[in-house]
Amino acid sequence: TKLGSTLLQKTLMFDLYANRMRAPHTAHEDDYFVLKTSDWTNIIPLTDDGHVILVTQFRHGVEQDSLEIPGGIIDAEETDPQSAAIRELREETGYTAREVRPLGAMHPNPALQNNRCHSYLALGATLSGDQQLDSEEIINVHRIPLAEIPELIRSGKITHANILTTFLLFLLQHGRELGCERWMK
């Protein structure tokens, strides 16, 4: 039972709350900490010649660069996660796509966070302009053959859980159609 909630910290990225909870079977009370944040989106950009557009950027939590697909926070004024994914693709990479398909949504960390990450597949990705990065962003763009994605995952070069889950959704829904049967060893 939720007994109350106290805002501990408000930041640009999230609000930290302490939720006072009582266990129904023992009546034990304790604080559980929750990060309330906007939903996120990410997108797998796939070119017609079988390449995935990946990005690297520094991630402060692990204090190192991370190899990922484009994505980010859905802005407060955005009501459509797919439009946000298309925007993130264009801003981070300069690429646009002929077709965008939804892959699904996940809770990145339901133990601590309230938000979801909405994932998409972009088919026919083509470079159509320059990156449009925020002032604090440094993002490098990579064009990697789709066939190399499993080894990047196995070798630990792709470690971001949301990205791994998005590739799993991609494989389950589009693997056969896009020739990814060899991903399963």
Side-chain angles (χ1 to χ4, degrees):
T1 304
K2 187 175 182 179
L3 303 175
S5 185
T6 304
L7 176 63
L8 300 176
Q9 183 72 41
K10 190 169 194 59
T11 74
L12 290 174
M13 298 291 289
F14 61 84
D15 297 336
L16 175 62
Y17 285 84
N19 291 343
R20 189 69 178 176
M21 305 295 288
R22 180 184 301 133
H25 59 291
T26 64
H28 174 77
E29 292 183 17
D30 212 339
D31 288 329
Y32 291 83
F33 299 93
V34 176
L35 297 174
K36 291 190 177 183
T37 186
S38 299
D39 279 3
W40 303 331
T41 189
N42 65 26
I43 190 164
I44 298 174
L46 187 59
T47 65
D48 284 337
D49 65 350
H51 287 80
V52 179
I53 307 306
L54 298 176
V55 296
T56 52
Q57 58 186 312
F58 186 80
R59 292 301 191 181
H60 293 275
V62 293
E63 298 183 354
Q64 63 185 29
D65 285 343
S66 180
L67 184 60
E68 306 173 359
I69 55 178
I73 292 176
I74 299 173
D75 293 339
E77 68 277 359
E78 291 177 308
T79 57
D80 177 32
Q82 182 169 317
S83 295
I86 293 167
R87 175 187 51 76
E88 288 287 347
L89 171 62
R90 187 184 65 253
E91 289 176 357
E92 291 188 359
T93 68
Y95 278 74
T96 57
R98 178 181 62 250
E99 177 185 357
V100 175
R101 297 180 185 176
L103 294 174
M106 66 197 90
H107 289 101
N109 186 350
L112 300 173
Q113 294 169 221
N114 69 318
N115 68 322
R116 294 184 302 163
C117 181
H118 304 267
S119 298
Y120 296 89
L121 171 64
L123 297 171
T126 57
L127 184 61
S128 55
D130 295 329
Q131 291 175 299
Q132 301 166 10
L133 301 176
D134 295 336
S135 60
E136 73 281 356
E137 287 182 313
I138 300 171
I139 296 177
N140 295 305
V141 179
H142 309 277
R143 199 171 181 276
I144 307 290
L146 179 61
E148 292 181 17
I149 296 299
E151 185 52 33
L152 291 171
I153 293 170
R154 281 189 207 97
S155 67
K157 292 197 169 76
I158 297 176
T159 61
H160 192 306
N162 292 339
I163 308 313
L164 296 171
T165 303
T166 301
F167 275 116
L168 175 61
L169 292 170
F170 162 78
L171 182 62
L172 292 172
Q173 295 174 38
H174 301 286
R176 279 202 176 99
E177 166 194 354
L178 297 172
C180 299
E181 291 89 355
R182 297 180 147 230
W183 282 29
M184 308 300 283
K185 279 187 176 182

